[in-house]
């Protein structure tokens, strides 16, 4: 089989990475995609580093068994914990990670604070510290660890009073000041843009890295001459460590819902 026709593998701790994969599908509809969500072990962001490294390496092996031509670690937490290990273990493979999209937020140059929502692990790790170091003199940036938010999305709760209550509590110290923008530094969070806008106002730009990451994937595929040249729409296969049709159906819905 021509390697160009091989699928692209996406991985996340759960359903969140679909916010990235849906962008990749929109820019490369003729590619085949395989998604693996580890919802059985979600959330990753409050686990020990070693455990997240192991879970990530296992997920990568699962995707490699499906003969993928590239892997997107569509999880900020798994990227910060394990991307170096994945790259050094599979030197020839295209491996794309994701990190909070701080650069576009800084470039907007809006008045007020840039707030970065992410998991505790993402905000604690070296990768994020380096990112902050790069931009800290250009803008006023605050990290907002959001333990507990991934669980809403994993349970299919994408709106409602309880979720808005959670978000209101998280943002209570910021609502009286100007918020320049909010960076969604976890791939689950784009699915709760609406309740978030209800809490902080729909004038605040919400920035996520899904599209930027997908363009990086496309660039790498072009560079290695691995773009699928089929004229047909590609296949999408979804797997989850919770072996239940309900979660698989939910995943297909997440690819198509308007966010
Ligand atoms: N989607 C993951 C991320 O981007 C969520 C991590 C978790 O499971 O806590 O960080």
């Amino acid at each position: 089989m021509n390697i160009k026709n091989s699928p692209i593998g996406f991985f996340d701790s759960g359903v969140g990475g679909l916010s990235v994969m849906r962008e990749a599908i929109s820019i490369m509809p003729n590619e085949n995609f395989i998604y693996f969500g580890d919802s059985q072990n979600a959330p990753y962001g409050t686990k020990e580093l070693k455990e997240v490294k192991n879970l990530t390496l296992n997920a990568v092996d699962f995707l490699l068994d499906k003969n993928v031509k590239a892997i997107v670690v569509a999880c900020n937490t798994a990227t910060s914990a394990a991307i170096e290990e994945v790259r050094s273990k599979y030197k020839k493979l295209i491996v794309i990670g994701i990190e909070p999209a701080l650069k576009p937020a800084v470039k907007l140059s809006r008045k007020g604070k840039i707030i970065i929502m992410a998991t505790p692990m993402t905000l604690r790790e070296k990768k994020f510290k380096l990112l902050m170091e790069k931009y800290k003199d250009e803008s006023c940036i605050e990290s907002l660890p959001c333990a507990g938010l991934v669980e809403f999305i994993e349970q299919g709760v994408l709106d409602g009073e309880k979720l808005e209550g959670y978000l209101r509590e998280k943002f209570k110290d910021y609502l009286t000041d100007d918020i320049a923008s909010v960076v969604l530094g976890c791939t689950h969070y784009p699915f709760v843009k609406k309740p978030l806008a209800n809490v902080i106002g729909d004038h605040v730009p919400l920035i996520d890295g899904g599209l930027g990451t997908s363009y990086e994937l496309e660039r790498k595929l072009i560079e290695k001459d691995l773009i699928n040249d089929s004229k047909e729409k590609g296949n999408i296969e979804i797997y989850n460590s919770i072996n239940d049709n309900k979660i698989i159906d939910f995943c297909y819905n997440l690819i198509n819902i308007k966010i």
Side-chain angles (χ1 to χ4, degrees):
M1 185 176 137
N2 184 346
I3 183 171
K4 289 185 181 189
N5 300 331
S6 298
I8 300 165
F10 273 71
F11 157 65
D12 178 50
S13 64
V15 302
L18 291 161
S19 70
V20 185
M21 195 170 91
R22 51 188 266 152
E23 302 287 2
I25 295 169
S26 75
I27 64 169
M28 295 178 281
N30 303 336
E31 294 290 343
N32 299 307
F33 292 92
I34 293 192
Y35 184 88
F36 174 65
D38 190 13
S39 295
Q40 181 84 53
N41 292 301
Y44 280 12
T46 46
K47 286 188 162 39
E48 290 296 318
L49 189 64
K50 180 103 188 43
E51 191 178 357
V52 175
K53 277 189 208 278
N54 289 338
L55 291 168
T56 304
L57 288 168
N58 289 345
V60 167
D61 287 343
F62 175 90
L63 290 170
L64 287 174
D65 279 347
K66 307 260 173 231
N67 291 320
V68 295
K69 63 181 174 184
I71 284 187
V72 180
V73 180
C75 176
N76 293 263
T77 308
T79 298
S80 60
I83 201 83
E84 283 168 20
E85 279 82 352
V86 175
R87 289 199 172 118
S88 72
K89 193 165 170 200
Y90 301 105
K91 292 208 169 60
K92 289 199 175 142
L93 182 70
I94 297 178
V95 179
I96 309 288
I98 187 164
E99 65 178 10
L102 185 52
K103 185 176 172 185
V106 170
K107 275 196 169 165
L108 284 180
S109 301
R110 280 172 54 98
K111 182 166 162 259
K113 286 182 179 148
I114 296 175
I115 298 178
I116 307 185
M117 299 170 73
T119 68
M121 185 178 295
T122 298
L123 298 174
R124 206 173 50 227
E125 284 305 310
K126 194 174 88 202
K127 206 169 190 313
F128 181 73
K129 301 251 159 67
L130 293 172
L131 184 70
M132 277 294 264
E133 207 42 51
K134 213 159 139 189
Y135 294 106
K136 73 175 194 322
D137 297 333
E138 285 179 58
S139 303
C140 178
I141 307 166
E142 297 244 358
S143 313
L144 185 60
C146 292
L149 184 50
V150 160
E151 286 88 328
F152 280 97
I153 300 135
E154 284 294 312
Q155 283 154 22
V157 179
L158 307 182
D159 55 22
E161 200 31 59
K162 209 165 159 214
L163 175 55
E164 286 190 19
Y166 171 97
L167 293 167
R168 207 169 293 113
E169 174 62 26
K170 279 282 158 196
F171 276 87
K172 69 177 188 307
D173 295 338
Y174 303 108
L175 292 175
T176 48
D177 286 333
D178 287 323
I179 302 176
S181 59
V182 173
V183 176
L184 306 174
C186 166
T187 55
H188 281 72
Y189 303 167
F191 292 117
V192 294
K193 275 185 180 176
K194 277 186 205 142
L196 183 56
N198 290 344
V199 169
I200 62 174
D202 52 15
H203 60 289
V204 179
L206 304 177
I207 301 174
D208 74 80
L211 189 58
T213 303
S214 301
Y215 278 128
E216 192 192 339
L217 167 67
E218 187 183 38
R219 271 195 300 277
K220 285 271 155 40
L221 290 171
I222 293 172
E223 206 178 287
K224 298 222 167 176
D225 194 22
L226 283 179
I227 289 278
N228 191 334
D229 35 34
S230 153
K231 299 280 171 284
E232 311 273 304
K233 209 165 162 232
N235 296 321
I236 298 169
E237 266 175 58
I238 297 183
Y239 297 88
N240 195 286
S241 53
I242 296 180
N243 209 358
D244 182 348
N245 284 341
K246 228 170 99 190
I247 193 141
I248 303 290
D249 291 346
F250 177 49
C251 287
Y252 282 107
N253 286 342
L254 288 178
I255 292 179
N256 296 313
I257 59 163
K258 221 171 139 6
I259 51 177

